[in-house]
Amino acid sequence: MDRQAASTPPCAPALVAPGIWKIRIGMPEAATAVSLRQTQPAIQAMEQLPAASSVPLDTAGWRAEYRDNGLVVRLPYPSSASYGLGLQLKSFDQSGKKKTLRVNSDPVADTGDSHAPVPFLLSVEGFGILVDTARYVTFYVASHEAKDAKPNADVSRGGAAVATSTDELYAMRSGHAGRDLVVFVPGVRGVDIYLFAGPTPKLAVQRYNLFSGGGCLPPMWGLGVWYRVTGSATQQQALDMARGFRERKIPCDVLGLEPGWHTHAYSCSYVWNAERFPQPDAMIQDLGRLGFHVNLWEHVFVHPSSPLHPKLAVHSGDTLVWGGLVPDLSIQQASDAFAAYHDETFVAHGISGFKLDECDNSDFIASPWSFPEHSRFPSGLDGEQMHSMLGILYQHCLDSAFRKHNRRTFSEVRSSHALASSYPFVLYSDLYDHRDFVRALANSGFTGLLWSPEVRDAKSVEDLVRRLQTVVLSPQALINAWYIKNPPWFQTDVQKNNSDVAMQDSDQVEMICRETLQLRMRLLPYIYSAFARYRSEGIPPFRALVLDYPEDVNCRKVDDQYLIGDGLLVAPLFADSSERDVYLPPGDWYCFHTHQRFEGGRSHHVTHDLRTIPVFVRCGTILPLAEPVDHWEAGQVLRVNPIVFGTPTEPASLFEDDGHSFNHENGAYNIVNLTWDASRGGAISRAGNYPGRMYEIGQWSNVI
């Protein structure tokens, strides 16, 4: 049979986990996201979710055809809004779009390029679709009409013969109701497709995250404030920065070192530079006494001078990057060698995490730096597959070094893919558009990703503060000052900053930034407990409004607001604007700052001065706010003062353990339940097996 005309019927759906079905088409490749996974599905947690008794889509109408250039799968797609496909910076609802999911560090257009292209599509109707491939798969999300399809129902074809306005033209272009979802997987003879049942989109996402192994639970210190010092910093300068933060009461838990700590970077030696850091162990200990954890920048490309080079030479691809090896971390011996070296050299010496830079790809610059797609690796993976999976393999490799010591990490990574939710790594980008960063934050919760809209320098004080307000209300409160000598609140102008010239009002700016960072520390118990639900139930701690309010059509396009946990709604402000419209879902909401009550189900125009950001608390929420500390230490007890917002009041739960080990996986944790009765006041109860205390409940207050 001519390959262009060949077709194959999909296999019948097979139940592979509670509420999850697999449909096999043809003969899938050996290397896929699922086959390369290193985590196991959280089956017991899935069994606690509401049961799904039937396949969420009728697969009888699915068609699959082999073409000369790959496999085309066409399926009826009854969805009015679609989300996901990884960390998309440029769009939110993917309906009517073509997206080619390709790893790229420069996603400058809405094409599908992404730091984390995840082939998982979520329907607002309450089901999810995972295409299990490491290829650069293309999704046509109801974007085109087949020749034999019925006329598009949402575009009139019987009226005016010619479109005479832009509205008419765009209507003809944008209609997508009733069209099929078409998936094109290049160069394959088969693929597995997984269906995740709802009946709500939030429940489908929970099943996806639990299928990935459950969400990660960061250490408590990882949810504090992060600061990456300038790349030219020395050991003494890093210590001076840390001491300055403590003296000026700037909250900070993690100090990050950039490439200058290596003897060679681009590619990497993974060896301390003795001139800049003559006594790294002493520095780590000194920083530890000050309450700082140390994070090291690196990338995966191994310089010839590295002690790792001889061990990885036979386990690397056929192309060098910056003169360094590209290790094939899908090979167990290579992954073990890489992890063992990092364990013995860094983790065992007190390093708390790593920044895994440039494990993505870059095509849209004058000199593309990464390995090409035609590269070959000893495992049999080609460059395309390795680009897709390198970030995941890298995360697993280094996470294993910490698990060996029963220590949790919270680290950074610049690339990820499917089934990533259990890895404690947060994505970041060299791009720097604040509006895109907020959209990415809303999008990240659809596909098991964490994202930091990091702060670097800023074009103005207002830009700095607005970015900082967003970042303290994100998964990782990261200030990445890698190319400025002094903190950005000292001077926002890069040249003047590096010349030690302070802004005229730098003390006032520092005060505002300190207050903003203290907000992060006040929210630690709430955010930590939201991550605990991510781990046990698969509920993203940071997520778009549409996940919780899919029936509200107004939420389906909101990509500049997001939820933290069940009770907080954040609507960031951007530079040059102190006001905006905020859409509040049905129900009553309270302003976090003023406690003013707002009616939900409609938009409100709000104005905020530079010191505050629009944050709203859902009516009925008990919000556990900690008294702010400069940093969190193991054994530290946070004093928590709950605030009750409105009635009827729902109970709140705090997750309590040692905050840094994996002992919670063996049951060493407590659930601290908070309840409120208008006549009797607040009450607490603890249940669990952790003998210590993380929280002390202080003064209650209520907002009517």
Side-chain angles (χ1 to χ4, degrees), residues 397-468:
C397 174
L398 291 190
D399 185 46
S400 68
F402 290 95
R403 282 188 168 270
K404 178 181 176 181
H405 293 271
N406 193 27
R407 286 167 51 195
R408 282 181 260 166
T409 184
F410 202 42
S411 292
E412 301 165 75
V413 68
R414 214 170 78 175
S415 179
S416 199
H417 202 263
L419 310 179
S421 62
S422 65
Y423 291 117
F425 288 80
V426 183
L427 288 154
Y428 62 97
S429 176
D430 274 354
L431 302 180
Y432 203 53
D433 184 277
H434 191 184
R435 179 65 184 83
D436 286 352
F437 273 17
V438 172
R439 183 182 296 109
L441 188 49
N443 274 330
S444 62
F446 295 128
T447 48
L449 302 172
L450 299 175
W451 165 254
S452 175
E454 65 175 37
V455 176
R456 298 201 287 266
D457 67 297
K459 62 185 181 182
S460 66
V461 169
E462 186 179 20
D463 187 32
L464 168 64
V465 174
R466 294 310 187 195
R467 287 179 180 273
L468 195 62

Side-chain angles (χ1 to χ4, degrees), residues 276-353:
R276 294 179 180 273
F277 297 87
Q279 296 178 305
D281 285 351
M283 178 195 68
I284 295 167
Q285 293 170 9
D286 288 343
L287 288 171
R289 282 188 284 269
L290 290 168
F292 287 89
H293 293 260
V294 181
N295 179 284
L296 298 180
W297 175 98
E298 67 167 52
H299 58 218
V300 74
F301 311 120
V302 183
H303 190 263
S305 67
S306 172
L308 269 171
H309 194 277
K311 300 176 183 178
L312 295 174
V314 298
H315 299 308
S316 298
D318 61 2
T319 305
L320 301 178
V321 176
W322 291 308
L325 300 173
V326 185
D328 188 342
L329 296 180
S330 71
I331 297 174
Q332 194 64 49
Q333 298 96 312
S335 182
D336 288 348
F338 202 91
Y341 178 85
H342 280 73
D343 174 11
E344 297 163 5
T345 312
F346 305 115
V347 178
H349 291 254
I351 293 299
S352 295

Side-chain angles (χ1 to χ4, degrees), residues 461-482:
V461 169
E462 186 179 20
D463 187 32
L464 168 64
V465 174
R466 294 310 187 195
R467 287 179 180 273
L468 195 62
Q469 289 167 345
T470 300
V471 85
V472 301
L473 297 169
S474 79
Q476 186 181 65
L478 170 62
I479 302 165
N480 183 12
W482 72 270

